[in-house]
Amino acid sequence: MKLSTSDIQFHNAHLEARPDGSYQIARYPRDVLNQMNDGARRTGIDSCGAEIRFHTTAPTTRITLSCEHAEGEVQIFRGPFLCETVKLEKGVPTAIDLTPNDRLQEATDDILESGGFSTSVWRLLLGRGSFRYHFINTFGHSLRAPRPEELPSVNWLAYGSSITHSHLAGHPYQASRLLHWNLHAKGLSGSCHLEPAATDYFAKQIKESNLDIITAELGVNMRVWYSVEEFTQRAKYFIKTLRAAAPGKPIVLITIFTNSAHYSRDTERAGVQTQIGFDNSLRKLHADANDPDLHLIEGTELLPDFTLLNSDVLHPSPSGQALMGHLLAERLRRILPQSID
């Protein structure tokens, strides 16, 4: 088994040894998840947005991965450039061979290295599902983790619902590619409840992962189950705790994205009024803070076209996610302009 933090970087990941000698790749540590709701305990071990990164001189590298409970999608990048997408059969350890594309060398070094990631770095982006790492073989060639200068200089943590958790074509992934930022994807499908355990974990991550900016899309998973008062209390704790941990760093609150509750035929149905209350609460917390580094983005401005939702009129379609990624990148570029080379 080849596993060393000096050899491989498991980005946005917490590893847990399994009885068969493999390592589960989760986005949240187990002790944090055990303090959260049952949905978060499941979605927090989903690997979507985790990455396996390394540098090697090997002409061919073989890495073995598997995915529990689902067919797994792995996007393979050489630096910022997509090489291929591989599908893993559910539960089956699969060996993936990685060979650099010689055509990359046809372009000049300055343009090749303009995307935040060095083209000497292999990156395996893991999609939805709980992935396991089994083995890597460089056939005797060197292997090391990427150096800081081979990675983007800006670290961004994105927290939110399934719309943030999404998939590898979701808006945070689109935006991070446009911005050339290092994304720490912490969305929790159906279970983003602004829990103190999550807030405390993010505050710790600010130092451990050298975070530069945090975005938080808040409210949609809480609108049926929580009162406006409880939402406000948790949002206050979120803002206060992260501000104490990250003086002067941007914290970006995002109100609920466009969905049918904004245009409901029945304004009294479950969740409609609390959605209004949650959004108003975030607006007031932002205004009252009088903090130039606390920002507010209206979710409806990131998805201005209602018809770019899926037929559940809640989740964005692929076109909707792409538009949201573009618009969010524009807003974040204004908030942190010095980060763009």
Side-chain angles (χ1 to χ4, degrees):
M1 173 69 62
K2 186 73 169 176
L3 182 66
S4 167
T5 54
S6 63
D7 293 335
I8 303 173
Q9 181 187 72
F10 290 87
H11 169 73
N12 187 39
H14 296 269
L15 301 183
E16 184 174 302
R18 307 301 294 171
D20 65 354
S22 66
Y23 289 82
Q24 186 172 53
I25 303 171
R27 293 172 304 118
Y28 284 77
R30 180 75 62 176
D31 61 330
V32 173
L33 292 176
N34 287 346
Q35 302 174 64
M36 296 165 67
N37 66 83
D38 285 339
R41 296 181 190 203
R42 294 189 298 274
T43 57
I45 65 169
D46 183 278
S47 307
C48 187
E51 292 189 31
I52 301 171
R53 301 171 175 173
F54 56 88
H55 176 285
T56 180
T57 57
T60 298
T61 301
R62 182 168 296 158
I63 185 167
T64 301
L65 305 172
S66 62
C67 186
E68 298 178 321
H69 312 304
E71 189 178 75
E73 176 183 328
V74 183
Q75 288 186 350
I76 300 169
F77 282 76
R78 186 76 171 177
F81 297 98
L82 178 64
C83 301
E84 63 175 318
T85 299
V86 175
K87 292 283 190 180
L88 307 185
E89 185 179 346
K90 175 183 173 182
V92 178
T94 303
I96 303 170
D97 282 358
L98 310 175
T99 303
N101 191 329
D102 291 339
R103 294 200 63 178
L104 278 173
Q105 304 311 312
E106 296 175 5
T108 59
D109 288 345
D110 57 340
I111 197 66
L112 286 173
E113 303 303 315
S114 64
F117 291 93
S118 168
T119 53
S120 67
V121 174
W122 283 110
R123 302 168 56 217
L124 279 69
L125 279 66
L126 308 181
R128 293 300 292 264
S130 181
F131 281 76
R132 293 188 186 188
Y133 166 83
H134 295 265
F135 190 75
I136 190 168
N137 191 347
T138 59
F139 304 97
H141 290 270
S142 66
L143 175 68
R144 63 168 174 81
R147 299 185 177 112
E149 64 269 20
E150 296 170 330
L151 301 173
S153 59
V154 174
N155 285 289
W156 165 30
L157 186 147
Y159 175 56
S161 72
S162 59
I163 302 171
T164 293
H165 191 169
S166 55
H167 43 75
L168 294 179
H171 75 275
Y173 309 95
Q174 302 274 12
S176 66
R177 289 170 192 150
L178 293 170
L179 292 164
H180 304 161
W181 287 4
N182 213 12
L183 176 64
H184 300 250
K186 300 297 185 183
L188 294 169
S189 291
S191 51
C192 175
H193 290 183
L194 254 180
E195 286 155 310
T199 296
D200 294 343
Y201 166 65
F202 298 151
K204 188 177 179 183
Q205 285 295 106
I206 286 169
K207 293 183 179 179
E208 291 184 357
S209 299
N210 194 28
L211 298 179
D212 299 288
I213 184 169
I214 294 175
T215 61
E217 167 245 323
L218 303 174
V220 70
N221 290 156
M222 300 176 68
R223 59 186 183 172
V224 175
W225 312 107
Y226 293 83
S227 67
V228 174
E229 290 73 24
E230 177 67 13
F231 173 82
T232 302
Q233 181 181 355
R234 293 191 178 197
K236 279 183 178 178
Y237 183 78
F238 181 88
I239 295 167
K240 179 181 177 181
T241 302
L242 295 189
R243 175 50 70 230
K249 291 189 177 182
I251 299 168
V252 184
L253 308 175
I254 304 175
T255 61
I256 295 174
F257 292 125
T258 304
N259 66 80
S260 61
H262 291 102
Y263 305 95
S264 182
R265 295 175 184 271
D266 177 9
T267 58
E268 298 306 315
R269 70 177 172 86
V272 173
Q273 292 303 316
T274 47
Q275 174 170 298
I276 294 170
F278 288 178
D279 284 352
N280 284 335
S281 174
L282 290 181
R283 294 175 187 125
K284 187 173 189 305
L285 289 172
H286 170 252
D288 290 349
N290 193 29
D291 178 351
D293 297 306
L294 179 66
H295 303 267
L296 181 78
I297 297 176
E298 295 289 342
T300 52
E301 293 179 1
L302 297 180
L303 186 60
D305 187 342
F306 185 79
T307 67
L308 294 183
L309 293 170
N310 288 326
S311 61
D312 66 359
V313 288
L314 176 63
H315 293 91
S317 68
S319 297
Q321 288 278 14
L323 176 62
M324 292 166 69
H326 175 75
L327 295 177
L328 180 59
E330 285 187 343
R331 296 294 295 271
L332 296 182
R333 187 177 283 114
R334 285 181 240 155
I335 291 170
L336 209 58
Q338 71 274 18
S339 64
I340 307 301
D341 295 329

